[in-house]
């Protein structure tokens, strides 16, 4: 279907969040734009069930591929401009919400600088959705009145880290770390050294809402061992704070297509 057959305007780039991965959690607008787009540029995080619905001749994989090869962000930016200037309706499809650690802001600035019209289509962010489907609210009247979202890519020991782990430890509330599986030992150590209690509950939710979702729970002191024993791999969301401990009281009754407590061989730290 061409752009002229739809509401999409030729030459427009749509920065679309796919949500956490379950196709049922796509917004109605995202689904409509995906069906109408001339070209979809995607990475792996939208999830296989969503990507496989896209015709191969209308999709381009600009994410990480076999052998560690990945498309540089600069190349993605240039491709978006090139396709739009050819008159295409272009969807840039990202996992979660494209403006939450998704580089959507960078892409919007680049498009604006090159006079390319664009529209942002918000989505359910995995920072909230992954904990939720595991039975963990990121806020709770009895446990947390604030939540901080941080990237786990950074090395907490570097001199000019953009994440102030000392301040996060002092602030209280919930800390949600995205892209933080590999550096889990580093930032849990940083939080402990900043004075956060070793018994603070922590949960890891791998591939939230995807087939094969896994959850590991523990404490700030034990979660690294729980991660290794459970075999948690990226992509995963880390939830740090008392809200992570509420999962235990609800998981026996939690039912969804991603699994229930009875299906999980879960670790308790």
């Amino acid at each position: 279907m061409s752009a002229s057959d739809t509401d999409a305007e030729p030459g427009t780039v749509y920065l679309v969040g796919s949500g956490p991965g379950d196709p049922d959690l796509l917004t109605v607008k995202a689904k409509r734009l995906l069906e109408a787009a001339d070209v979809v540029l995607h990475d792996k995080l939208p999830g296989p069930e969503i990507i496989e619905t896209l015709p191969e001749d209308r999709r381009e994989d600009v994410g990480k591929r076999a052998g560690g090869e990945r498309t540089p962000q600069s190349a993605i930016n240039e491709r978006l401009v090139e396709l739009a200037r050819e008159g295409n309706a272009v969807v840039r499809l990202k996992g979660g919400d494209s403006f939450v650690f998704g580089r959507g802001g960078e892409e919007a600035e680049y498009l604006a600088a090159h006079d390319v019209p664009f529209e942002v289509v918000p989505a359910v962010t995995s920072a909230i959705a992954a904990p939720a489907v595991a039975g963990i609210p990121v806020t709770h009247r009895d446990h947390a009145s604030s939540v901080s979202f941080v990237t786990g890519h950074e090395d907490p020991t570097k001199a000019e880290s953009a994440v102030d782990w000392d301040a996060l430890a002092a602030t209280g509330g919930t800390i949600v770390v995205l892209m933080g599986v590999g550096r889990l030992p580093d930032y849990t150590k940083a939080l402990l050294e900043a004075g956060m209690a070793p018994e603070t509950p922590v949960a890891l939710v791998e591939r939230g809402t995807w087939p094969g979702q896994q959850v590991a729970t523990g404490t700030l002191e034990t979660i690294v061992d729980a991660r290794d024993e459970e075999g948690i791999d990226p992509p995963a969301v880390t939830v740090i704070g008392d809200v992570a401990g509420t999962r235990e009281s609800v998981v026996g009754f939690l039912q969804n297509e991603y699994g229930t407590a009875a299906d999980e061989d879960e670790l308790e730290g």
Side-chain angles (χ1 to χ4, degrees):
M1 183 182 298
S2 68
S4 61
D5 296 326
T6 72
D7 293 335
E9 292 294 328
T12 300
V13 174
Y14 298 88
L15 302 175
V16 177
S18 67
D22 181 351
D24 286 346
L25 295 178
L26 274 171
T27 65
V28 172
K29 187 168 189 176
K31 187 174 186 295
R32 173 171 61 82
L33 289 171
L34 286 172
E35 291 172 348
D38 295 310
V39 187
V40 178
L41 271 62
H42 68 88
D43 51 35
K44 294 293 191 291
L45 290 179
E49 290 186 85
I50 293 174
I51 293 170
E52 287 167 7
T53 66
L54 307 173
E56 289 189 22
D57 62 345
R58 291 197 292 115
R59 73 187 195 215
E60 294 184 16
D61 184 349
V62 294
K64 187 175 181 180
R65 291 174 291 283
E69 179 189 356
R70 67 173 65 236
T71 306
Q73 184 62 46
S74 58
I76 296 172
N77 293 345
E78 292 167 6
R79 184 62 174 152
L80 290 171
V81 170
E82 177 186 23
L83 288 167
R85 285 178 175 169
E86 291 173 356
N88 292 295
V90 184
V91 168
R92 173 66 174 115
L93 186 66
K94 310 281 286 190
D97 184 283
S98 60
F99 272 27
V100 181
F101 299 123
R103 294 193 172 181
E106 297 173 40
E107 292 169 352
E109 289 180 315
Y110 190 89
L111 293 168
H114 290 77
D115 301 318
V116 173
F118 68 91
E119 182 177 344
V120 180
V121 181
V124 178
T125 173
S126 58
I128 296 172
V133 297
I136 301 169
V138 295
T139 63
H140 189 295
R141 190 167 61 174
D142 295 332
H143 301 291
S145 298
S146 65
V147 56
S148 301
F149 301 107
V150 300
T151 175
H153 270 333
E154 283 203 334
D155 181 354
T157 64
K158 75 179 187 182
E160 297 184 5
S161 172
V163 180
D164 188 338
W165 295 100
D166 287 354
L168 287 170
T171 299
T174 305
I175 302 171
V176 177
V177 185
L178 286 85
M179 305 169 290
V181 175
R183 291 202 176 274
L184 182 67
D186 299 324
Y187 60 82
T188 52
K189 179 182 178 183
L191 290 169
L192 287 167
E193 290 178 347
M196 187 171 278
E199 63 272 17
T200 301
V202 182
L204 292 168
V205 185
E206 176 189 343
R207 300 178 186 273
T209 81
W210 291 31
Q213 171 182 303
Q214 290 194 91
V215 181
T217 60
T219 67
L220 205 57
E221 199 168 45
T222 67
I223 193 62
V224 173
D225 289 339
R227 176 202 66 180
D228 296 342
E229 291 176 32
E230 191 74 3
I232 299 293
D233 293 314
V237 172
T238 309
V239 186
I240 303 170
D242 289 344
V243 292
T246 67
R247 171 177 160 83
E248 184 177 357
S249 64
V250 303
V251 71
F253 298 90
L254 178 66
Q255 295 186 23
N256 52 44
E257 60 265 47
Y258 320 119
T260 66
D263 300 323
E264 296 176 357
D265 181 17
E266 183 174 326
L267 298 173
E268 295 291 345

